Amino acid sequence: MKADFRSDTVTRPTAAMLDYMMKAPVGDDVFSEDPSINHLERLSADIFGYEAGIFCPSGTMTNQIAIKCHTSPGDEVICEKNSHIYVYEGGGIAFNSGASVRLIDGDRGRVSSEQITMNINPDDVHRPVSRMVGLENTCNRGGGSCYDLKQIEKIREVCDRHQLILHLDGARLFNALVARNEDPKDYGRLFDSISICLSKSLGAPVGSVLLGNSTMIKKARRIRKVFGGGMRQAGYLAAAGIYALDNNVERLSQDHLHARMIEEALREKSFVDTILPVETNIIIASFYQPYTPQHFIQAMEKEDILLFAISPTQIRMVLHLDITPAMVEKTINVIKNL
Ligand SMILES: *Cc1c(COP(=O)(O)O)cnc(C)c1O
């Protein structure tokens, strides 16, 4: 078995998860008649204290539906310059919502309330209407960095003062919750909507859930249909999500421990320049010239260890459910012998 550190999306369902999926009761979800999807939506909403949730095929769709719910064409979305909603969703903010984007240069993906305040437009006919703020937690391009809850509370205050909607791209929110031992209800209290992914390190094959109040989620159902995301007997997929939430959250701390162990091995190497502080399951490192990401990737690939470069100077390794302790041990030994 290759040790695949390219992404936490590469996990395959376990036998126990598949078994649970096979037994799922299903119905037509466009008629809201799929018991497994209804269960998953209720379960996820309850974890965060929201009124409702909606199951979607991807995290891109849940984010894009949220932005479409919250904005009108010509409005402006404020987010960090490396955020997934801006960098990795194919220009969806413009394509789907006709909204403009205001980018903030954050600290490893995180923005401050002061930075947001400075980027809110005045009430002036020349300017786009600042409508919503999109945060990410953990921050993918920030090396899995986590927000401090106090920082989010300050951002919420700025949003309240300026009537801005606050959305969270929580693709890896469970990693942050576990790493910082936080209460999901605090997030439900602070954000107007949250998108969570079940197909990252939680190990489900497909699926994300968008959470919010019932009025918003009702609107989201209409938008999901327009986007072509209305699925029928998708309860088999939702069951994987239920299984993931019930069984695969606590174990994330093991991924975080493994990431720190690999980080330590990398720190010993003379060719390693910087490693972003490892807070969760992502390691981002850069190298001194003439050593390049390609040297590292090729040396690892020879040992059946897979990873990516995420820029000409940076490599990324992501821990997840399918990376075993034995694979971590082997990876550390391979790094030691480089
Ligand atoms: C993976 C990811 C998403 C959603 O991606 P999909 O592949 O569309 O499910 C959203 N935000 C972040 C930060 C991600 O890492």
PDB file of all heavy atoms in Angstrom, residues 9 57-61 63 84 89 136 138 140 169 171-172 197 199-200 208, ligand 1:
ATOM      1  N   THR A   9      -8.561  13.930   0.871  1.00  0.00           N
ATOM      2  CA  THR A   9      -9.729  13.508   0.075  1.00  0.00           C
ATOM      3  C   THR A   9      -9.534  12.120  -0.514  1.00  0.00           C
ATOM      4  O   THR A   9     -10.458  11.589  -1.131  1.00  0.00           O
ATOM      5  CB  THR A   9      -9.969  14.472  -1.105  1.00  0.00           C
ATOM      6  OG1 THR A   9      -8.753  14.561  -1.859  1.00  0.00           O
ATOM      7  CG2 THR A   9     -10.372  15.845  -0.631  1.00  0.00           C
ATOM      8  N   PRO A  57     -23.410  17.506  -2.889  1.00  0.00           N
ATOM      9  CA  PRO A  57     -22.344  16.623  -3.378  1.00  0.00           C
ATOM     10  C   PRO A  57     -20.928  17.082  -3.027  1.00  0.00           C
ATOM     11  O   PRO A  57     -20.034  16.255  -2.929  1.00  0.00           O
ATOM     12  CB  PRO A  57     -22.520  16.637  -4.903  1.00  0.00           C
ATOM     13  CG  PRO A  57     -23.857  17.210  -5.157  1.00  0.00           C
ATOM     14  CD  PRO A  57     -24.230  18.045  -3.981  1.00  0.00           C
ATOM     15  N   SER A  58     -20.702  18.378  -2.870  1.00  0.00           N
ATOM     16  CA  SER A  58     -19.325  18.834  -2.634  1.00  0.00           C
ATOM     17  C   SER A  58     -19.284  20.076  -1.763  1.00  0.00           C
ATOM     18  O   SER A  58     -20.296  20.778  -1.603  1.00  0.00           O
ATOM     19  CB  SER A  58     -18.640  19.151  -3.970  1.00  0.00           C
ATOM     20  OG  SER A  58     -19.174  20.357  -4.493  1.00  0.00           O
ATOM     21  N   GLY A  59     -18.083  20.350  -1.254  1.00  0.00           N
ATOM     22  CA  GLY A  59     -17.881  21.557  -0.453  1.00  0.00           C
ATOM     23  C   GLY A  59     -17.886  22.803  -1.312  1.00  0.00           C
ATOM     24  O   GLY A  59     -18.237  23.893  -0.859  1.00  0.00           O
ATOM     25  N   THR A  60     -17.503  22.645  -2.554  1.00  0.00           N
ATOM     26  CA  THR A  60     -17.602  23.775  -3.479  1.00  0.00           C
ATOM     27  C   THR A  60     -19.069  24.167  -3.628  1.00  0.00           C
ATOM     28  O   THR A  60     -19.425  25.345  -3.574  1.00  0.00           O
ATOM     29  CB  THR A  60     -17.003  23.394  -4.860  1.00  0.00           C
ATOM     30  OG1 THR A  60     -15.622  23.079  -4.669  1.00  0.00           O
ATOM     31  CG2 THR A  60     -17.144  24.517  -5.855  1.00  0.00           C
ATOM     32  N   MET A  61     -19.937  23.168  -3.749  1.00  0.00           N
ATOM     33  CA  MET A  61     -21.355  23.499  -3.909  1.00  0.00           C
ATOM     34  C   MET A  61     -21.944  24.141  -2.648  1.00  0.00           C
ATOM     35  O   MET A  61     -22.678  25.122  -2.740  1.00  0.00           O
ATOM     36  CB  MET A  61     -22.177  22.284  -4.327  1.00  0.00           C
ATOM     37  CG  MET A  61     -23.592  22.711  -4.726  1.00  0.00           C
ATOM     38  SD  MET A  61     -24.684  21.373  -5.202  1.00  0.00           S
ATOM     39  CE  MET A  61     -24.208  21.087  -6.880  1.00  0.00           C
ATOM     40  N   ASN A  63     -20.392  25.930  -0.388  1.00  0.00           N
ATOM     41  CA  ASN A  63     -19.898  27.313  -0.318  1.00  0.00           C
ATOM     42  C   ASN A  63     -20.598  28.198  -1.339  1.00  0.00           C
ATOM     43  O   ASN A  63     -21.027  29.312  -1.029  1.00  0.00           O
ATOM     44  CB  ASN A  63     -18.382  27.362  -0.589  1.00  0.00           C
ATOM     45  CG  ASN A  63     -17.555  26.995   0.629  1.00  0.00           C
ATOM     46  OD1 ASN A  63     -17.968  27.221   1.772  1.00  0.00           O
ATOM     47  ND2 ASN A  63     -16.380  26.439   0.405  1.00  0.00           N
ATOM     48  N   HIS A  84     -10.208  29.122  -0.239  1.00  0.00           N
ATOM     49  CA  HIS A  84     -10.739  28.165  -1.203  1.00  0.00           C
ATOM     50  C   HIS A  84     -11.837  28.793  -2.049  1.00  0.00           C
ATOM     51  O   HIS A  84     -11.876  28.601  -3.264  1.00  0.00           O
ATOM     52  CB  HIS A  84     -11.285  26.945  -0.448  1.00  0.00           C
ATOM     53  CG  HIS A  84     -11.510  25.736  -1.294  1.00  0.00           C
ATOM     54  ND1 HIS A  84     -12.624  25.580  -2.094  1.00  0.00           N
ATOM     55  CD2 HIS A  84     -10.766  24.622  -1.491  1.00  0.00           C
ATOM     56  CE1 HIS A  84     -12.555  24.416  -2.721  1.00  0.00           C
ATOM     57  NE2 HIS A  84     -11.435  23.817  -2.382  1.00  0.00           N
ATOM     58  N   GLU A  89     -12.430  27.591  -6.510  1.00  0.00           N
ATOM     59  CA  GLU A  89     -13.809  27.284  -6.887  1.00  0.00           C
ATOM     60  C   GLU A  89     -14.149  27.837  -8.266  1.00  0.00           C
ATOM     61  O   GLU A  89     -15.297  28.183  -8.562  1.00  0.00           O
ATOM     62  CB  GLU A  89     -14.778  27.698  -5.759  1.00  0.00           C
ATOM     63  CG  GLU A  89     -14.458  26.885  -4.500  1.00  0.00           C
ATOM     64  CD  GLU A  89     -15.393  27.034  -3.299  1.00  0.00           C
ATOM     65  OE1 GLU A  89     -16.432  27.702  -3.411  1.00  0.00           O
ATOM     66  OE2 GLU A  89     -15.054  26.441  -2.247  1.00  0.00           O
ATOM     67  N   GLU A 136     -12.257  30.824   6.634  1.00  0.00           N
ATOM     68  CA  GLU A 136     -11.938  29.407   6.443  1.00  0.00           C
ATOM     69  C   GLU A 136     -11.294  28.900   7.738  1.00  0.00           C
ATOM     70  O   GLU A 136     -10.414  29.565   8.285  1.00  0.00           O
ATOM     71  CB  GLU A 136     -10.950  29.297   5.271  1.00  0.00           C
ATOM     72  CG  GLU A 136     -10.767  27.927   4.681  1.00  0.00           C
ATOM     73  CD  GLU A 136      -9.942  27.989   3.382  1.00  0.00           C
ATOM     74  OE1 GLU A 136     -10.368  28.658   2.409  1.00  0.00           O
ATOM     75  OE2 GLU A 136      -8.871  27.374   3.343  1.00  0.00           O
ATOM     76  N   THR A 138     -10.144  24.896   9.343  1.00  0.00           N
ATOM     77  CA  THR A 138      -8.782  25.391   9.310  1.00  0.00           C
ATOM     78  C   THR A 138      -8.473  25.984   7.939  1.00  0.00           C
ATOM     79  O   THR A 138      -9.207  25.741   6.985  1.00  0.00           O
ATOM     80  CB  THR A 138      -7.792  24.230   9.578  1.00  0.00           C
ATOM     81  OG1 THR A 138      -7.786  23.325   8.455  1.00  0.00           O
ATOM     82  CG2 THR A 138      -8.170  23.430  10.803  1.00  0.00           C
ATOM     83  N   ASN A 140      -6.534  25.900   4.690  1.00  0.00           N
ATOM     84  CA  ASN A 140      -5.772  24.948   3.879  1.00  0.00           C
ATOM     85  C   ASN A 140      -4.406  25.507   3.502  1.00  0.00           C
ATOM     86  O   ASN A 140      -3.364  24.951   3.870  1.00  0.00           O
ATOM     87  CB  ASN A 140      -6.609  24.592   2.637  1.00  0.00           C
ATOM     88  CG  ASN A 140      -5.870  23.701   1.660  1.00  0.00           C
ATOM     89  OD1 ASN A 140      -4.896  23.044   2.004  1.00  0.00           O
ATOM     90  ND2 ASN A 140      -6.331  23.688   0.425  1.00  0.00           N
ATOM     91  N   ASP A 169     -16.240  28.585   5.699  1.00  0.00           N
ATOM     92  CA  ASP A 169     -15.871  27.387   4.944  1.00  0.00           C
ATOM     93  C   ASP A 169     -15.177  26.463   5.944  1.00  0.00           C
ATOM     94  O   ASP A 169     -13.994  26.614   6.233  1.00  0.00           O
ATOM     95  CB  ASP A 169     -14.937  27.782   3.788  1.00  0.00           C
ATOM     96  CG  ASP A 169     -14.424  26.573   3.014  1.00  0.00           C
ATOM     97  OD1 ASP A 169     -14.690  25.425   3.446  1.00  0.00           O
ATOM     98  OD2 ASP A 169     -13.754  26.781   1.989  1.00  0.00           O
ATOM     99  N   ALA A 171     -14.488  23.233   5.758  1.00  0.00           N
ATOM    100  CA  ALA A 171     -14.148  21.939   5.135  1.00  0.00           C
ATOM    101  C   ALA A 171     -13.403  21.060   6.144  1.00  0.00           C
ATOM    102  O   ALA A 171     -13.625  19.858   6.206  1.00  0.00           O
ATOM    103  CB  ALA A 171     -13.304  22.156   3.888  1.00  0.00           C
ATOM    104  N   ARG A 172     -12.511  21.690   6.916  1.00  0.00           N
ATOM    105  CA  ARG A 172     -11.769  20.952   7.949  1.00  0.00           C
ATOM    106  C   ARG A 172     -12.066  21.503   9.341  1.00  0.00           C
ATOM    107  O   ARG A 172     -11.194  21.519  10.212  1.00  0.00           O
ATOM    108  CB  ARG A 172     -10.271  21.000   7.666  1.00  0.00           C
ATOM    109  CG  ARG A 172      -9.874  20.297   6.392  1.00  0.00           C
ATOM    110  CD  ARG A 172      -8.367  20.202   6.211  1.00  0.00           C
ATOM    111  NE  ARG A 172      -8.059  19.559   4.949  1.00  0.00           N
ATOM    112  CZ  ARG A 172      -8.004  20.187   3.770  1.00  0.00           C
ATOM    113  NH1 ARG A 172      -8.240  21.483   3.709  1.00  0.00           N
ATOM    114  NH2 ARG A 172      -7.733  19.509   2.669  1.00  0.00           N
ATOM    115  N   CYS A 197     -17.294  19.548   5.403  1.00  0.00           N
ATOM    116  CA  CYS A 197     -17.033  18.475   4.446  1.00  0.00           C
ATOM    117  C   CYS A 197     -16.959  17.133   5.167  1.00  0.00           C
ATOM    118  O   CYS A 197     -16.308  17.014   6.198  1.00  0.00           O
ATOM    119  CB  CYS A 197     -15.706  18.691   3.720  1.00  0.00           C
ATOM    120  SG  CYS A 197     -15.800  19.979   2.487  1.00  0.00           S
ATOM    121  N   SER A 199     -16.059  14.441   3.283  1.00  0.00           N
ATOM    122  CA  SER A 199     -15.175  13.651   2.417  1.00  0.00           C
ATOM    123  C   SER A 199     -13.705  14.029   2.550  1.00  0.00           C
ATOM    124  O   SER A 199     -12.892  13.623   1.745  1.00  0.00           O
ATOM    125  CB  SER A 199     -15.613  13.806   0.963  1.00  0.00           C
ATOM    126  OG  SER A 199     -15.502  15.153   0.585  1.00  0.00           O
ATOM    127  N   LYS A 200     -13.363  14.826   3.550  1.00  0.00           N
ATOM    128  CA  LYS A 200     -11.947  15.105   3.798  1.00  0.00           C
ATOM    129  C   LYS A 200     -11.467  14.059   4.810  1.00  0.00           C
ATOM    130  O   LYS A 200     -11.702  12.883   4.621  1.00  0.00           O
ATOM    131  CB  LYS A 200     -11.778  16.544   4.302  1.00  0.00           C
ATOM    132  CG  LYS A 200     -12.067  17.569   3.218  1.00  0.00           C
ATOM    133  CD  LYS A 200     -10.826  17.940   2.404  1.00  0.00           C
ATOM    134  CE  LYS A 200     -11.136  18.566   1.068  1.00  0.00           C
ATOM    135  NZ  LYS A 200     -11.457  19.988   1.106  1.00  0.00           N
ATOM    136  N   SER A 208     -20.960  17.106   1.517  1.00  0.00           N
ATOM    137  CA  SER A 208     -20.793  18.244   2.404  1.00  0.00           C
ATOM    138  C   SER A 208     -22.169  18.652   2.878  1.00  0.00           C
ATOM    139  O   SER A 208     -23.168  18.332   2.238  1.00  0.00           O
ATOM    140  CB  SER A 208     -20.145  19.405   1.652  1.00  0.00           C
ATOM    141  OG  SER A 208     -18.777  19.141   1.430  1.00  0.00           O
TER     142      SER A 208
HETATM  143  C1  LIG B   1     -11.736  20.622  -0.049  1.00  0.00           C
HETATM  144  C2  LIG B   1     -12.151  21.975   0.350  1.00  0.00           C
HETATM  145  C3  LIG B   1     -13.414  22.482   0.009  1.00  0.00           C
HETATM  146  C4  LIG B   1     -14.437  21.700  -0.789  1.00  0.00           C
HETATM  147  O1  LIG B   1     -13.935  21.010  -1.846  1.00  0.00           O
HETATM  148  P1  LIG B   1     -14.787  19.962  -2.714  1.00  0.00           P
HETATM  149  O2  LIG B   1     -13.712  19.204  -3.383  1.00  0.00           O
HETATM  150  O3  LIG B   1     -15.623  20.755  -3.628  1.00  0.00           O
HETATM  151  O4  LIG B   1     -15.612  19.135  -1.777  1.00  0.00           O
HETATM  152  C5  LIG B   1     -13.754  23.734   0.456  1.00  0.00           C
HETATM  153  N1  LIG B   1     -12.902  24.454   1.196  1.00  0.00           N
HETATM  154  C6  LIG B   1     -11.685  24.025   1.549  1.00  0.00           C
HETATM  155  C7  LIG B   1     -10.808  24.860   2.407  1.00  0.00           C
HETATM  156  C8  LIG B   1     -11.254  22.761   1.132  1.00  0.00           C
HETATM  157  O5  LIG B   1     -10.041  22.337   1.486  1.00  0.00           O
END
